[in-house]
Structures are given as C-alpha cells and as structure tokens.
Amino acid sequence: MEDKKISAVVTGLGMYVPDRIYDNAYFEKIVDTSDEWIRSRTGIRERRILENGATSLLASKAAEDLLKTKNMSADEIDVIIVATVTPDMFFPATACLVQENIGAKNAWGFDLSAACSGFLFAFQTGCSLVESGRYKKVMVIGADKMSSIVDYKDRNNCILFGDAGAAILLEPSEDIKYGLQDSLLRVDGSGKDVLYMKGGGSLNPPTHETIDQNMHVIYQDGKAVFKVAVKGMADISYDLMKKNNLNGEDIAYLVPHQANLRIIDATAERMGINRDKVMINIDKYGNTTAATIPSCLVEYYRDGKLKKGDKIILAAFGAGFTWGASYLVWSMD
Ligand code: UT7
C-alpha cells in the first residue's frame, strides 16, 4: 500500500436488468440440456435478456438509476468509463452514447475492454483518476449485452450468459481508511485462444465467410478456462489478503465475478471465507461479464447487508487472460 493523501471512495450506486427472463426450462427447449445440469455445473437458474436496445441502454439506465438515487445532476460528472466487450459499435465509444443519453455535458470518457475483469480494471482506473486529485466525480459502469454475441445453438455457452448494467460513482475522500486500499491486476495474452470472439475485428473483418463459419459469437474452451480461472482468482485474492495482513475473519465480503458458482466456492475456500460472506447473484442473472461485480455491490448494499467500514475484496477472471483482486473499505452509510 503506497502513501496517499486522497482516497477514492464509492459514493453512489445504480443498476439495470431487463425484464425478459430466460430460465433453465427455456434452454431445455432450444438445446440438449437440463435444469439439473445447469444448476449443478454453474449455479445459474435464470438470466435477463435485452430484447430491444444495446449495451448503451443497459449502461445509461444504470447511470440514471445512480443519479436518481443520489439526487445528483448529470452535469456534475467529470468522467464516464464504460467497461464492456459488447459496445454498441467499435466507435464511437459506448461512453459517448451514455454521455448523450444522460446529459452529462461536462464529462469526458472512454470504453475499457478487459472482458470479465473489465469492471475491476475500470474501477482501478477510475480510482487512479480520483486519487490524482484531478477529477472529483468519476462514474464507472460495467455493462454487457452478452446475448448479442451468444450462439443460442451452442449448449456449452448459451446457458451461461445474461445482459445487465451497473454503475458506481467514485469521489475523493481525505479519510483514507475508506475506499480503494490496494489492487493486484494481471493480463496474460497466452490465454487468447481459449476464450475469444474470432471475427469482427481487424484480424478477421466481417465477411460472408466469417458469418458462415460462425465467427461472430463467443468461443470458449470451458474446461481449460475453468482450471486457470479457479487458480488465478483464488491465488491473486489470497496474495492480496496476505500483502495487506488480512485473514478470512477480517473480510466482510468477497465480491467475485459471477462466471460459475464452483469457481466462486473454490476462491472463497482458498481465502478462508464462509459462503455467507460471498456476494452471489449468478443464480438470477448468469454471467453478465462487466456487470457482475457492480450489480452484486448494488444489490447487497440496497438489501442493507453492506455496511460502512466493511472490508471487501473484489475478484475477477476473464478472457485475455485478465484477472485480479482489489481491496476496499466500504464508505457508504
Ligand atoms: O467469465 C469468464 C471466464 N469464464 C469462466 O470462468 C467459465 C469457466 N468454465 C466453466 O464455468 C465450465 O467449464 C462450464 C460451465 C463452461 C462447463 O462445465 P464443465 O463441468 O467444465 O463441463 P465440461 O465442459 O467438462 O462438459 C462436461 C459434459 C460434456 O459432455 P461429455 O463430453 O462428458 O459427454 C459436455 O458436452 O457436459 C456436456 N455439456 C452439457 N450438458 C448438458 C456441456 N454443456 C452442457 C449443457 N447441458 N448445457
């Protein structure tokens, strides 16, 4: 933990999930699967699907929910960072579309691409902007319309993902015992071939052939990713705790990326944390990529389960590979 004069603290929260639900019974009708297989292998019961609109809608509605709850004007926002792998378009950035939708006329912003670690990386980036002393109100949004890149004929993947958006506001505090305390973040490009979308970028620009070859959907070697995800998320969370002299008892909550309940359980076990201290919403939403961690924060805070002073660890693992963990002390009453 380096010396710092200003801490970046979370001061606002918002989220949005679409109304349309795809439960496990829906998938039993479209692919060869069962409710039992999905629940026991992943922990997922249902996910939300956005039928009309794109990721900017999920992100903008989450941002509006935050502004409304906080009774704050969009003019006050300095920066908007949108973590997503399903931007409305390659450019302009989804952050620009959110800026227009919510009327944040004094903001600048950008998108950040780190797949399932997107929120964690955007959170670190947003905190650094606040800690620099240069920006006072930074909105960090995790939003993904995963249904736009899921192949609903592929039973290995289609059951896993859902659509959602969630937002947090970061502001400076001179009380440095609150807010982000420390992070360990990593990327390793050797993981590029086991979880990716082959087509659409400059490597394989869209053509009739890329469509015929089904290259515009998620490809994942689930088993290969599972092994490294368990080790990656558990090890880095453990290392972060050790570095900050924390043990399982000190931690109020582990807030893990929601890809698979078995990965979450293995991480908690390695950290010496009981299941009741692990934030979970994968059962309701599936894997919403950049929205998993912030949506957990929103729901647990609104349920009165997350209290000022709580020490929490955010942890994620995703395509790239990208992974990491952040330690923060909760600042909202
Ligand atoms: O979020 C970013 C990072 N991503 C992750 O962290 C995901 C990591 N991976 C996983 O969560 C898991 O690997 C999966 C949930 C994707 C798959 O679970 P698994 O226990 O690793 O299953 P598997 O891939 O080893 O497949 C076991 C069997 C296979 O059948 P055979 O070959 O044993 O006959 C699959 O074909 O289960 C079959 N299978 C299914 N069966 C019913 C795969 N998908 C399904 C399905 N329903 N939906």
Side-chain angles (χ1 to χ4, degrees):
M1 225 192 305
E2 73 277 18
D3 288 337
K4 56 176 183 175
K5 293 197 177 63
I6 305 175
S7 190
V9 298
V10 178
T11 61
L13 294 164
M15 75 177 275
Y16 174 75
V17 291
D19 294 332
R20 179 70 198 266
I21 293 173
Y22 282 5
D23 60 11
N24 291 346
Y26 172 84
F27 289 94
E28 287 176 339
K29 286 185 217 127
I30 63 166
V31 288
D32 179 14
T33 191
S34 68
D35 174 53
E36 201 284 325
W37 191 97
I38 299 171
R39 275 190 291 109
S40 62
R41 297 290 180 119
T42 70
I44 302 168
R45 290 172 185 275
E46 56 187 44
R47 344 74 201 113
R48 302 300 181 102
I49 302 297
L50 183 66
E51 290 176 302
N52 297 305
T55 295
S56 63
L57 185 148
L58 299 166
S60 301
K61 283 195 179 287
E64 281 163 0
D65 182 39
L66 186 156
L67 293 172
K68 196 168 153 221
T69 320
K70 208 173 153 55
N71 198 15
M72 175 184 150
S73 160
D75 300 358
E76 294 176 45
I77 301 167
D78 298 317
V79 188
I80 300 167
I81 307 175
V82 178
T84 188
V85 284
T86 52
D88 288 29
M89 295 165 272
F90 269 169
F91 63 89
T94 306
C96 302
L97 310 177
V98 173
Q99 178 280 330
E100 189 195 16
N101 287 345
I102 66 172
K105 61 177 188 289
N106 297 310
W108 65 285
F110 55 92
D111 290 1
L112 186 150
S113 170
C116 293
S117 306
F119 178 79
L120 203 59
F121 286 17
F123 176 67
Q124 173 64 59
T125 307
C127 287
S128 302
L129 292 173
V130 169
E131 287 167 357
S132 75
R134 200 178 277 259
Y135 300 102
K136 301 251 179 298
K137 286 189 167 62
V138 177
M139 190 180 267
V140 178
I141 306 173
D144 271 300
K145 184 181 175 178
M146 296 308 291
S147 61
S148 66
I149 55 168
V150 162
D151 176 0
Y152 284 95
K153 290 190 199 72
D154 174 7
R155 71 171 183 172
N156 294 290
N157 280 312
C158 69
I159 51 111
L160 297 172
F161 297 97
D163 304 337
I168 64 162
L169 188 73
L170 295 168
E171 292 187 75
S173 165
E174 283 174 13
D175 197 349
I176 60 165
K177 66 176 178 295
Y178 295 108
L180 178 65
Q181 304 295 313
D182 201 6
S183 289
L184 289 173
L185 305 171
R186 300 280 184 272
V187 299
D188 178 357
S190 68
K192 64 186 181 304
D193 298 329
V194 291
L195 177 49
Y196 67 128
M197 194 162 83
K198 298 181 186 183
S202 55
L203 180 64
N204 296 301
T207 60
H208 290 294
E209 286 72 36
T210 62
I211 290 172
D212 291 345
Q213 290 166 25
N214 208 21
M215 287 167 75
H216 299 278
V217 293
I218 300 166
Y219 167 81
Q220 172 170 238
D221 178 345
K223 221 187 237 325
V225 177
F226 187 90
K227 274 191 211 137
V228 277
V230 167
K231 186 161 164 43
M233 210 155 92
D235 282 357
I236 209 149
S237 304
Y238 180 80
D239 290 349
L240 184 67
M241 283 171 67
K242 233 172 115 189
K243 186 168 168 236
N244 288 276
N245 299 315
L246 297 164
N247 60 41
E249 312 269 278
D250 301 320
I251 304 297
Y253 283 106
L254 165 66
V255 193
H257 170 55
Q258 313 277 308
N260 189 315
L261 201 51
R262 291 182 292 146
I263 299 177
I264 294 172
D265 284 341
T267 305
E269 195 182 316
R270 173 96 157 97
M271 293 167 71
I273 288 178
N274 293 332
R275 179 56 109 63
D276 60 345
K277 295 207 288 182
V278 182
M279 291 194 189
I280 292 168
N281 66 13
I282 189 173
D283 51 325
K284 295 187 289 181
Y285 307 128
N287 182 351
T288 58
T289 303
T292 58
I293 290 177
S295 65
C296 279
L297 291 174
V298 177
E299 294 197 317
Y300 276 70
Y301 178 74
R302 288 184 176 170
D303 285 351
K305 294 180 188 157
L306 183 56
K307 300 268 171 14
K308 186 169 182 172
D310 279 351
K311 293 176 176 166
I312 64 179
I313 303 274
L314 317 181
F317 190 96
F321 296 124
T322 56
W323 73 107
S326 290
Y327 162 41
L328 73 151
V329 180
W330 194 249
S331 45
M332 289 170 74
D333 281 316

